[in-house]
Each structure stands twice: as structure tokens, then as C-alpha cells.
Amino acid sequence: MARVGVLLLNLGGPERIKDVGPFLYNLFSDPEIIRLPVRAFQKPLAWLISLLRSSKSQEAYRSIGGGSPLRRITEQQARELQSYLRNIGIDATTYVAMRYWHPFTESAVADMKADGVSEVVVLPLYPHFSISTSGSSFRELKRLKDSDDEFAELSIRCIRSWFDHPAYVSSMAELIKKQILACDLPQESHVFFTAHGVPKSYVEEAGDPYQDQIQNCSLLIIDQLENSLGFTNSFSLAYQSRVGPEEWLKPYTEEVLEKLGKSGVKELVVVPISFVSEHIETLQEIDIEYKEIAQKNGIVNFKRVPALDIYPLFIEGLADLVSSCLNGEGISLEEASKLPERVKLYPQEKWQWGWNNSSEVWNGRVAMIVFLCFLMELIIGGGPLHQIGLL
Amino acid sequence: MARVGVLLLNLGGPERIKDVGPFLYNLFSDPEIIRLPVRAFQKPLAWLISLLRSSKSQEAYRSIGGGSPLRRITEQQARELQSYLRNIGIDATTYVAMRYWHPFTESAVADMKADGVSEVVVLPLYPHFSISTSGSSFRELKRLKDSDDEFAELSIRCIRSWFDHPAYVSSMAELIKKQILACDLPQESHVFFTAHGVPKSYVEEAGDPYQDQIQNCSLLIIDQLENSLGFTNSFSLAYQSRVGPEEWLKPYTEEVLEKLGKSGVKELVVVPISFVSEHIETLQEIDIEYKEIAQKNGIVNFKRVPALDIYPLFIEGLADLVSSCLNGEGISLEEASKLPERVKLYPQEKWQWGWNNSSEVWNGRVAMIVFLCFLMELIIGGGPLHQIGLL
């Protein structure tokens, strides 16, 4: 049997306070995260955003112990999945490939080559597909494949999304159920799904299936939950973590929290639906920021459902996905990395200057940003990069 | 029994070409690597050196596949050691702590805390102690301990050096023996130990025990080798990888290679004595650069002894070191991180301006360097940091 490498894709996160700036720079340098009309604007803008957001973000990481736990948890998931696969007779080794921080995708690919892997299963640790998460990682992997003959020779099969996998849905329902039953009045408690948001244009203009998958996923979980509990809870869904001036998927988490509080909800079971591992968005945003908003608005009992991390049924589900993929259910990397037809990332077409779409707005904004960058660089002299931890 | 964490210390290495500049910057920012009179000069100098050395260094990494294999090999060593320890009944988990690249020491410490480790064994993957290798890592760990109450509560025991451990000496002798016996005329082949060099001032002024340990270690290995082979090979020892204008430990590897070639040595068994893992110094410097020098000077058969990597007897030796440390043989982190008495790193004393020691020379050199830095930054405008991969 071929030596199987299971490549687990995730975002990555800064592990030290001084890594926060460079991490943000990597994140915002990705055209799948911020879509700009012209490639040349990407890095200056990434630099400026990371500069501006760095100290607030550092503060957030400080409040959760000085760094992201994402690498640690992802490596635990990798170990558990590897053990499970080997126990069921699949001779697989798991590898962690982060998109914006160490260990980077390149390192995982180098490791697989060194280990003599001949068959690769690519499993994003994002249940729902988005251009900006799994999509970006698949495309990164595709770039590596295109520039590396040795890697290109391997058989690579991908799982694009798995939000409807029974083990995942059941794991979520089980964890939510525990929190509901721990409420004073379980039947009165409100189930509140909060997913990481994406710009509205991703879905409406670019055809990102993310919102559909999140909505369907919530309904699957709610169904399963009702079957298991024997009663029905009210529930809602909102999107968190918005950055920048653009409109993102609505409703926004903070606004729904206010409304729920004002409408008299006292016990809230908060479900971080798009996250399978604890990280800054659960530990800081939900547990600190959103909790505060909820409590200010009269919600007395704010119960956050833990992320799946290494929940055994969840790991079993991941193993089942790998196993199905090895049995022919996966798709090729080419197919997985394909953008929805309507996406226009700048490398794909010549940009039309002039009064078309929103180009003028962007031209103006970006020119101003670039001008400010150079001005600051000149004024500060040694380069303000040290402010974001690059120096 | 306490949960044991075994912390493996190593240097770290860039895994992608674009990480080479930032890695060099981290390396040369360390006062244990470049000793300067005044702390304020450290970062500008590190920046300049990394800028100047970056493209040559990138080329070297390109020639060995585009990055350092050090993290991968160190993680393999960690896995093998963990399995071995658990098999002999020690419930230990191994952690990798790199000094200048990911995974950094901070991450390993965070992982140990998250895993609930209560007893830590610190094992440098440097057999010989030097201020600039194990010393720098111990001191880094000490800084982390001093600023982290939770970490400070753990029991921490350190192994300072282990160049004379029988399993290490035997492993080296076994690997060398194989290469000798593969020569056309085994008894005529010359055994050539090449160790990573350090500035001569480390040993002569600062009292670094490195050179003594390297010399003793070579003799131990040669003894063992003679016993095993039943005949005696001629041998020599030299120091490689010199950087900068300062005098380093002599003789230099390239000079000895020339002499050996000219004196008629035809078969050379090259032993990378201070390296327990393959990395840039073995795969590129020895296998490419030094091999070329040797062949130019008439050495026909250039046989390089592989690094120990996960050689079973070597892993057994590491396990024995951990086990002895748990039985009380280790030393405290305070003791391990103590510099030899004669070392004067700048944080320890007030620098005397004026015509004392070499201060004037350094003042002049560094002032010129800093001036050049700012000049280049101004001329290039956006900051030349992109040239070393920081942008």
C-alpha cells in the first residue's frame, strides 16, 4: 500500500507577541483575504493594515496568554488523527500546513517528500469552504505543486468541505447539548451560532458558497440537537470578526447579541460554528468581548460551547473523511483550488482603469495609503517596520 | 510520577528561501553570537550583516533543496527519544526549542505548560558546550523563566554537555568505521574531524570550554575507533564556518584540507564532529564547498560520515542522559546558564569609553555601520528590508 500523507490545512497564528505584526502582514498580503484591483497595492496595504492593527491585536493575544494556541491544538489533532488512522489499518502520517504562520505549507510539503509519501490526502480543518480559508490554502498548495516537479508527481486528493459529515454534526450537537442541559432552564435557553464573517462581496459577487454552507450546517446541527434533546430551542446565526470598512455577511454578532439581550433572553448557548479549534476568535473575541456585550444587554448566563479540538467523535469523523478520500471520493487539487467562476482576483484579468465598478474608489484609497506609507517611512527614518515587530 | 517534559535545544534553520534573511537577523541579533561593546549597536549590525550575507546564504540553502532540514530531523529525534523513554517506563513528552527560528523556545515552554508538565529535563542537542550554542539557549530559557511565574514553578534540570557519553562516542565511532572500511585502503585513510568554529576570543578571553571539549571528544572517538578496527588511522581536527574578520579557532578546515591534499592524502573520512543532525554546514559546506577544495588538492576519495540524526544507539544515549538527569545528575538552569567568569557581555557591566581594550576600534566600526544603514534606508526609500526578505 502507498505511504499516505494527510495534510491538515489551517490558518496558523502568532505564538509570540512579537510575531503578531509579521503574522498580520502575511494575512493581509493574501489576495484571497483582501481583494484589490492591482497587485502592486497588496503589500503596501498589508504593511499599513498590520501596522495599524498590530497593537490592538497584540493586546488581544496578551489577554489569552501571549500567543495563539492554534499550532499546538492542530498538532494534537494531527497526532490523534494519525493514531486513529493507524489503528484502523491505514498507514498514514499527518502533517500540519498553516497558511499564514509556521509551520508553513512549504515545510509540510518538504516533510512529506523527505518521508517518501506517495499519496496525499488534503483535509482542510475548515468544515465550510470559503475562498478566503480552504480556497486560499488549496491555491497555495497548487502554486507549490506547479513549481515543484517532485511534489507534482505525488497523487494528491482533496476534500473541499465537510460541514455535513454526520460525525462532525453529531460532535457539535453533543457539545451544545451539554451546555444546554447545564442551563437553569434548558428549554428557554437560546442557541446562538456565531461564524467567522467574510466580506459580503465574496458571497454576492464572487459566488463563495460559505454562507450557504454555514446556514445548512446550523440547520443540520439544530435538527440533530432536537432529536437528541426531545425539545426545541430558539436559535439564531450571526457573523463575527469583521475587519475594515467593507460590508460583511450580516447580521453581525455584536448586533444580534444586543437584540437578544433586549428581547429578554437570559441564558445563551454560544456556538462558534466555523472554528474546530480554540483560538483568538473563541478565547478572546467570544469569551471576552462578546460576553461583555451580552452581559451589558441583560444576558445573565453566557455559556460558550468549547471548540471541538480533539473530541473523539470529531477525530473519528476526520478519519472517516480521509478513508473515504482514499477510496476515491476526493477531488483533484486543480478542482479544489478552482475559484468560483465569478471571482475576479487581479492575476486573472486586466484591470480596467476609469469609472467602472468601484475602481475609482479603490484607486483613490490605495494611492492615499501608499503615499502615507512612504511619508511615514521617510519621517521615522529607520523605517516604521519595527513598530509591527518586523524589526 | 511527575509528568516529564524533555526540552531539546537546537539552533533552528530557515525552511523557506524567504526566511533566510529574518533567520540571519535573529542569529546576529544574539549577543552570544556577536559580542559588541554597546547593546544599541546590536540590531543595526545584525540588520546589516543579514542584508549583506542574505543572498549568498539563500544560494546555499537553494543548493540543498530550498531550506534547512533541521526542524524535521530534530522533530524525528524528539519522536524517537519519546518512544524510547516511554518504552523504558519514563512517561516523558519531548519538545523542540529552537533558538533562532520556529518552533521557538517560547512555543515549547507554552506547550509544556499546556500539557501540564511538572518536571523539565533540558537537553541541548549540542554535545559540546559553547557560550554561543547551549549557553545562548540556556540563557534564553532563563530569561523566559524569570518572566513567567507559572514556568518558574516547574522543576527544571539541565544537562550542560555530553560529549563524553559512551553511547555518543560509540555511535560516532561506528559511523566513522563504516566509512573507513569502505575506503580502498582503510589503513591509509585519514580521519578528519571538522567542528563548527567559534571566535578565538570566546575561548581565550571568555573561557569557553568548547575547544577543550572538542579536542577531548575527538580523542575519545579515535580511541574507540582504534579498539574497534584493530589499526590506527592518522587523524586531524579543524574548525569550519568562520564568519567575519575576527580570528576564529584554528586551524581552519579549508587550510587543513589543502595541506592534507598536498601531503599526499588520497582518501579522507570527514567527520562533522559538532553536528548531530544534517544541516547547511554538513550538506552544503562540507559536501559541496569543502569537497571541492579537497578534490582540487588531490584528495580522490572524500567520504563524509553522516550526522547521527536518529541513529538508534545515539537515541539510546540521549535517553540515558535524560534518565540520569531524572535520577539527580542534572544541574539547575541557573547553573547551566551561568557564563564562564571571564565573559563580559554588555548587559553585565558599564562599558568604559575611551582607549581601553578594543573599544575604539569597535566604536569606529559600528558608527560607520550605523551611518551606512541609515544612508541606505534613505536612498532606497521604502527601506531595504525587502532585500533580506523582511518585506
Side-chain angles (χ1 to χ4, degrees):
Chain A
M1 193 175 163
R3 292 190 72 168
V4 177
V6 177
L7 194 64
L8 300 173
L9 308 178
N10 212 331
L11 190 85
E15 294 184 53
R16 307 177 304 168
I17 292 303
K18 61 178 147 181
D19 294 334
V20 170
F23 165 77
L24 292 177
Y25 175 79
N26 288 345
L27 181 69
F28 294 117
S29 295
D30 182 1
E32 271 105 346
I33 295 289
I34 300 188
R35 297 161 66 227
L36 289 179
V38 181
R39 183 189 284 267
F41 295 165
Q42 193 83 45
K43 298 217 164 191
L45 185 66
W47 171 81
L48 191 71
I49 299 178
S50 59
L51 182 66
L52 297 175
R53 292 183 56 84
S54 197
S55 71
K56 197 185 159 206
S57 186
Q58 285 180 345
E59 200 187 310
Y61 281 106
R62 266 196 203 95
S63 74
I64 63 164
S68 165
L70 194 57
R71 180 198 50 76
R72 176 169 60 251
I73 295 169
T74 311
E75 284 178 355
Q76 284 170 345
Q77 290 167 333
R79 273 199 297 272
E80 295 295 324
L81 176 59
Q82 178 173 303
S83 298
Y84 194 96
L85 287 168
R86 292 187 178 185
N87 279 342
I88 60 171
I90 298 175
D91 179 26
T93 304
T94 50
Y95 301 86
V96 172
M98 299 296 194
R99 180 67 183 92
Y100 304 111
W101 205 243
H102 303 264
F104 282 106
T105 313
E106 287 98 324
S107 302
V109 169
D111 287 2
M112 287 195 297
K113 291 193 298 183
D115 288 353
V117 159
S118 57
E119 191 170 355
V120 182
V121 172
V122 185
L123 174 56
L125 288 175
Y126 308 102
H128 320 83
F129 179 88
S130 166
I131 298 167
S132 55
T133 55
S134 316
S136 175
S137 277
F138 283 134
R139 284 165 59 83
E140 169 80 352
L141 205 58
K142 176 74 166 52
R143 279 189 290 273
L144 293 175
K145 185 184 170 186
D146 290 345
S147 64
D148 181 342
D149 294 341
E150 197 186 332
F151 181 42
E153 275 177 21
L154 308 187
S155 147
I156 305 176
R157 302 293 292 168
C158 304
I159 298 152
R160 209 170 195 233
S161 66
W162 41 274
F163 66 92
D164 51 359
H165 190 280
Y168 166 67
V169 172
S170 297
S171 305
M172 290 296 286
E174 286 177 12
L175 291 180
I176 298 168
K177 183 181 172 184
K178 266 188 212 155
Q179 296 302 318
I180 291 178
L181 294 179
C183 286
D184 294 333
L185 298 168
Q187 303 198 24
E188 303 298 311
S189 68
H190 184 90
V191 176
F192 178 53
F193 293 100
T194 174
H196 201 293
V198 297
K200 196 177 155 193
S201 63
Y202 276 52
V203 174
E204 298 201 345
E205 290 172 25
D208 197 326
Y210 181 71
Q211 189 178 20
D212 272 353
Q213 295 192 358
I214 288 281
Q215 285 171 346
N216 290 337
C217 181
S218 317
L219 296 176
L220 288 170
I221 293 171
I222 281 291
D223 272 356
Q224 178 91 3
L225 197 57
E226 284 179 9
N227 286 340
S228 164
L229 282 169
F231 55 79
T232 307
N233 292 78
S234 63
F235 72 96
S236 45
L237 166 65
Y239 297 91
Q240 67 175 77
S241 315
R242 180 171 162 244
V243 180
E246 208 182 333
E247 187 179 336
W248 279 35
L249 290 184
K250 284 188 174 175
Y252 298 143
T253 294
E254 55 273 31
E255 292 174 5
V256 176
L257 283 173
E258 280 180 30
K259 276 187 205 153
L260 288 172
K262 285 178 183 153
S263 74
V265 168
K266 293 290 166 217
E267 294 190 290
L268 196 71
V269 174
V270 182
V271 186
I273 188 177
S274 56
F275 310 95
V276 300
S277 315
E278 300 293 353
H279 53 310
I280 191 87
E281 286 88 350
T282 57
L283 299 172
Q284 194 274 335
E285 248 184 303
I286 299 182
D287 289 357
I288 301 177
E289 287 183 32
Y290 294 137
K291 187 176 184 178
E292 205 181 305
I293 295 174
Q295 289 175 334
K296 265 192 197 152
N297 286 279
I299 291 167
V300 183
N301 205 350
F302 184 95
K303 291 196 165 297
R304 207 261 291 171
V305 175
L308 293 165
D309 286 0
I310 52 168
Y311 192 67
L313 179 58
F314 167 59
I315 299 296
E316 203 181 310
L318 294 181
D320 184 57
L321 286 163
V322 172
S323 166
S324 305
C325 192
L326 288 171
N327 291 329
E329 281 191 22
I331 57 175
S332 70
L333 180 56
E334 287 63 31
E335 209 175 330
S337 61
K338 222 164 43 187
L339 288 167
E341 275 174 26
R342 280 173 289 162
V343 172
K344 296 176 178 180
L345 280 187
Y346 51 64
Q348 298 188 303
E349 55 176 8
K350 200 167 153 48
W351 176 256
Q352 298 293 317
W353 292 89
W355 286 97
N356 60 324
N357 295 340
S358 59
S359 60
E360 279 300 315
V361 177
W362 272 111
N363 289 347
R365 274 187 201 163
V366 175
M368 178 54 80
I369 285 163
V370 174
F371 173 73
L372 282 174
C373 290
F374 284 101
L375 194 68
M376 288 175 76
E377 186 97 15
L378 272 171
I379 291 169
I380 302 181
L385 284 158
H386 64 280
Q387 296 196 9
I388 53 162
L390 281 176
L391 258 187
Chain B
M1 193 176 162
R3 292 190 73 169
V4 177
V6 177
L7 194 65
L8 299 173
L9 308 178
N10 212 331
L11 190 85
E15 293 185 53
R16 307 178 304 169
I17 293 302
K18 61 179 148 181
D19 294 334
V20 170
F23 165 77
L24 292 176
Y25 175 79
N26 288 345
L27 181 69
F28 294 118
S29 295
D30 182 1
E32 271 106 345
I33 295 289
I34 300 188
R35 297 161 66 227
L36 289 178
V38 181
R39 182 189 285 267
F41 295 165
Q42 192 84 44
K43 298 216 165 193
L45 185 66
W47 171 82
L48 191 71
I49 298 178
S50 60
L51 181 67
L52 296 175
R53 292 184 56 84
S54 197
S55 71
K56 197 186 160 207
S57 185
Q58 285 180 346
E59 200 187 311
Y61 281 106
R62 267 198 201 94
S63 74
I64 63 164
S68 165
L70 193 58
R71 181 198 49 76
R72 176 169 61 251
I73 296 169
T74 312
E75 283 178 355
Q76 285 170 345
Q77 290 166 333
R79 274 199 297 273
E80 295 295 323
L81 176 58
Q82 178 173 303
S83 298
Y84 194 96
L85 287 169
R86 291 186 180 187
N87 279 342
I88 60 170
I90 298 175
D91 180 25
T93 304
T94 51
Y95 301 86
V96 172
M98 298 297 194
R99 180 68 183 90
Y100 304 111
W101 205 242
H102 303 264
F104 282 106
T105 314
E106 287 97 323
S107 302
V109 169
D111 287 2
M112 287 196 296
K113 290 193 298 183
D115 288 352
V117 158
S118 57
E119 191 169 356
V120 182
V121 172
V122 185
L123 174 57
L125 288 176
Y126 308 102
H128 321 83
F129 179 88
S130 166
I131 298 167
S132 55
T133 55
S134 316
S136 175
S137 277
F138 283 134
R139 284 164 59 83
E140 170 80 352
L141 205 58
K142 177 73 166 51
R143 279 189 290 273
L144 292 175
K145 185 184 170 186
D146 290 345
S147 64
D148 181 342
D149 294 341
E150 197 187 331
F151 181 42
E153 275 177 21
L154 308 187
S155 147
I156 305 176
R157 302 293 291 168
C158 305
I159 298 152
R160 210 171 195 232
S161 66
W162 41 274
F163 66 92
D164 51 359
H165 190 281
Y168 166 67
V169 173
S170 297
S171 304
M172 291 295 286
E174 286 177 13
L175 290 180
I176 298 168
K177 183 181 172 185
K178 266 188 214 157
Q179 297 302 319
I180 291 178
L181 295 178
C183 286
D184 294 333
L185 297 168
Q187 303 198 24
E188 302 298 311
S189 68
H190 184 91
V191 176
F192 178 53
F193 294 100
T194 174
H196 201 293
V198 297
K200 196 176 155 195
S201 63
Y202 277 52
V203 174
E204 299 202 345
E205 290 171 26
D208 197 326
Y210 180 71
Q211 189 177 20
D212 272 353
Q213 294 192 357
I214 288 281
Q215 286 171 346
N216 290 337
C217 181
S218 317
L219 295 176
L220 288 171
I221 293 171
I222 281 291
D223 271 356
Q224 177 91 4
L225 198 57
E226 285 180 8
N227 286 339
S228 164
L229 282 169
F231 56 79
T232 306
N233 292 79
S234 63
F235 72 96
S236 45
L237 165 65
Y239 297 91
Q240 67 176 77
S241 315
R242 179 171 164 245
V243 180
E246 208 181 333
E247 186 179 337
W248 279 34
L249 290 184
K250 284 189 174 174
Y252 298 143
T253 294
E254 56 273 31
E255 292 175 4
V256 176
L257 284 174
E258 280 179 31
K259 275 187 206 155
L260 288 172
K262 286 179 183 155
S263 74
V265 168
K266 293 291 165 216
E267 295 189 289
L268 195 70
V269 173
V270 182
V271 186
I273 189 176
S274 55
F275 310 95
V276 301
S277 315
E278 299 294 352
H279 54 310
I280 191 87
E281 285 88 350
T282 57
L283 299 172
Q284 195 274 335
E285 247 184 304
I286 299 182
D287 289 356
I288 301 177
E289 287 183 32
Y290 294 137
K291 187 177 184 177
E292 205 182 304
I293 295 175
Q295 289 175 335
K296 265 192 198 152
N297 286 280
I299 291 167
V300 183
N301 204 351
F302 185 95
K303 291 196 166 297
R304 207 261 291 171
V305 175
L308 293 164
D309 286 0
I310 51 168
Y311 193 67
L313 180 58
F314 167 58
I315 299 295
E316 203 181 310
L318 294 181
D320 184 57
L321 286 164
V322 172
S323 165
S324 305
C325 192
L326 288 170
N327 290 330
E329 282 192 21
I331 56 175
S332 70
L333 180 57
E334 287 63 31
E335 209 175 330
S337 61
K338 223 165 41 187
L339 288 167
E341 275 174 26
R342 279 173 289 162
V343 173
K344 295 177 178 180
L345 281 187
Y346 51 65
Q348 299 187 303
E349 55 175 10
K350 201 168 153 44
W351 177 256
Q352 298 293 318
W353 292 89
W355 285 96
N356 60 322
N357 294 341
S358 58
S359 61
E360 279 300 315
V361 178
W362 272 110
N363 289 347
R365 274 187 201 164
V366 175
M368 179 53 80
I369 286 163
V370 174
F371 174 72
L372 283 174
C373 290
F374 284 100
L375 194 67
M376 288 174 75
E377 186 97 15
L378 272 171
I379 292 169
I380 302 181
L385 284 158
H386 64 280
Q387 296 195 9
I388 53 161
L390 282 176
L391 258 187

